Every structure is written in C-alpha cells, then in structure tokens.
Amino acid sequence: MDNSVADYSEQIEKACRLYADLGFATTRIAAQLVRSGYPLELVRARFPQLPASAFPDPPAVRPRARAAAGRAGAPAPIQNLLPTVEPSRAMPTAKAPAAQSQPEASYIVEQGISFQYVPLIQCSFPHADPRDITTFTRRNGWLELTLSTTRHDMGLPYGVPARLLTIYCASEAVRTRSPEIYLGHSVHEFLRCLDVPITRGERGSLRVYANQLLRLIHCAVSIDENIRDPNGRTGLHIRQALFVEEARLWWDEAEAVGQGSSLVLSSVLFQSILERSAPLSSAAIRQLRKSPMDLDVYAWLVHRLFNLTRPNTVTWAQLSGQFGHGYTQPRKFRHFFLDSLKRVLAVYPDANVKPSAVGLLILPSRPHVPRALGMPVR
C-alpha cells in the first residue's frame, strides 16, 4: 500500500467515526464519502458488505481540476466568499472537497450564497478585542449565547475576521455536508479564498487572521434556549460544544506536496449548523466587510425578513441588547446603528424598514437571497 492510499484510508476511517457519531447509517456514510471525493475503490473496500447500488457515481472532475491533478495546485483566486475548491489528488492529508452533485450544492455556488449559523446572527461575537475577558455572553429574547476560550492566553475571537471565518466554515459545511473544512494549502491561500488582501507586519492580514483562526479553534460555545411544546409546557434546550475538534494548519506558502490546512468542526456544532443556518449574499458580505456592525445588521435583517409575514417593531432597547457591544449611551448606539443601517440598505434596498422613536419597524420584504429547496433557515 503506497503512502497516498494509506493517507486516504486513514481519512476514511476518521470520517467514518465522525459520521457514526452523528448517527449516519452505514449506507449513508458510504454514499457521503464517495460524494465528498474519496476514491470509490477504497470506499467499496471499507464497506465490502454493501451492494454496488449503495455507492453513487463519483463527482465529475471538471477540466480545470484535471489540469491541476498530479501537482500541489492551489485553487485559483475567486470573486466569491463561498469558494468552489477543486479536488486535488496531490493533497491526501487535507483534501479539498469536490462540489457535491446534489442540486442545492451547485445552486448555492451559482447564486453566490453564503451561510451564517443563526445563533451567531442573533448573538454575535464581540466587535472589538475583549482583551483579558475569557467569557462573553449575549442575550436575545429566549436565546443566550456564551463564548469562552480554552486558552486564556489566546483570547476570544472578535471583529470582522471572526465573522468572516465563521461564515466561511458554515458555508462550507452546508455546501459539502462534511464537518471537515478545507482551508487551502496555507494561510496565504486561505486569505485568497476569503478575498482578503494579503499584508504583512504587526497589523497585517496574515498575522491578524492567523491569530483569529487560532482564537476560533480554541473557542467553545454554549447556547441556552428557552423552548415550549405545543401543549404550552416550557423548558430549556442547552447545546455546548467546541467550535473545532481537530485542526492542521500550515502557515507559509512553501510548496509541500501532500499537505494542506483543514479543521474539523465538532459534531454537535456541525449538526446544528446544518439545521440552523441562514443564507446571505456573498456579494453583500464583501461590500460590508469593513465593519463588524455592518455585517451583524445585514445578517440579522436578511434573516428576520426572509420569512416575515406581518409588521414587527424591534425596540431600541432590544437592538442595543443585541448589537450594543459596549455602547454605554443609548443615543450613541442609535446613531451608530442608523449609520450602519444606511450602508446595509444600500446593498439590500428591498428591505422595508422604518426607524421611529420607539425602535425599528420591519415589514414584509422581498428576500435578499432567492428561496430554494433545502436551504436551512431557522
């Protein structure tokens, strides 16, 4: 058995354990492995008890991918926040997943749609560096989100990078239906996937995003949500998970055939992302990426208006509780929120909202992303 076959076999075993933990049946695990780009013959060898009909046809490799096969080729720069990463047989230890043959996967890419985990829309990361703070809690109605760090010397994720990183992870999880998130050949390549200009130095993007990625990897999330059944009985639903169970990161751009950066989302978080993610416009995210407040307001507005059927008023106190993040004076928060709302409405002009003395009146509006079968919006 050569090294590449051994590497693939090890990856297949790890993926099998993850999918089994998620409750996947054997036939579903085998089909998912083939759709994710693992060699069909190795998957069949792993599941000799299954009939040939249980294995779908492998995803087609497009001409551009064939040209890149056999070398440590990085995916070309793209203009979409949600990248379509081509598979490469030269990177067995952190293989770029092939785009699935499922209709919703190709639809997501063609329409330029990204996703964000809904609890992170309702209660987001800190806007600025929380410095020595090791836990951060936000409340929004029936939901309370607490972020904590497993490395007190590392700190919590914050600002624009934290939002772009989680949008990327949620988007890839929804697109590939896999907890393993491919980050590219190196941090350089990952920043190109995010369409972030590469700069060096103390405050350069390389250092900032590498630090924020480590903060996210060492971050744990706790979601406490009040629930009610059809009979009116109330209760509490609690989810607790690390963001990432495992990660392999390569910092420089040196050619290293067979190596790539990747992370594996925790099984609890991965399943929750599949169940509770909201679609966003990738183009809008690129235009609003200079401000964490702009990204938060945009994601919240798109999510709230997606299925809104009647007018609703959100008070300034409620908005401040969700987006305030350190604004001690209500007038200051209102000023900054309205300023951010102007930029959001510039990219989402169909949003029907009206500020008032009480708060923000939101009315049924045309969704900013097309409705499509299978998109999780809860």
Side-chain angles (χ1 to χ4, degrees), residues 358-376:
V358 177
L360 189 69
L361 174 64
I362 56 177
L363 300 103
S365 307
R366 181 180 178 181
H368 197 227
V369 294
R371 288 191 172 92
L373 182 65
M375 286 187 182

Side-chain angles (χ1 to χ4, degrees), residues 75-157:
I78 54 176
Q79 300 305 314
N80 196 321
L81 184 68
L82 176 62
T84 306
V85 184
E86 302 291 356
S88 171
R89 296 296 184 192
M91 303 179 74
T93 59
K95 176 172 56 58
Q100 292 185 33
S101 58
Q102 298 174 354
E104 62 267 27
S106 60
Y107 182 88
I108 288 169
V109 174
E110 291 169 4
Q111 296 294 323
I113 295 172
S114 296
F115 288 85
Q116 178 63 303
Y117 184 40
V118 168
L120 289 179
I121 293 176
Q122 297 170 318
C123 299
S124 61
F125 290 100
H127 283 170
D129 187 354
R131 300 194 182 278
D132 295 333
I133 295 175
T134 57
T135 61
F136 178 82
T137 299
R138 303 298 293 179
R139 296 176 180 85
N140 184 350
W142 281 28
L143 184 142
E144 178 179 287
L145 175 102
T146 297
L147 303 170
S148 58
T149 178
T150 60
R151 285 277 304 271
H152 291 184
D153 60 326
M154 189 69 65
L156 292 166

Side-chain angles (χ1 to χ4, degrees), residues 115-122 140 142-145 170 174 223-227 237-239 268-279 303 375-378:
F115 288 85
Q116 178 63 303
Y117 184 40
V118 168
L120 289 179
I121 293 176
Q122 297 170 318
N140 184 350
W142 281 28
L143 184 142
E144 178 179 287
L145 175 102
V174 171
I223 300 170
D224 293 20
E225 194 167 13
N226 291 304
I227 53 176
H237 184 197
I238 301 172
R239 286 191 190 90
V268 171
L269 182 64
F270 169 65
Q271 189 60 41
S272 190
I273 285 173
L274 295 187
E275 295 171 355
R276 304 186 64 186
S277 288
H303 175 56
M375 286 187 182
V377 189
R378 299 179 188 172

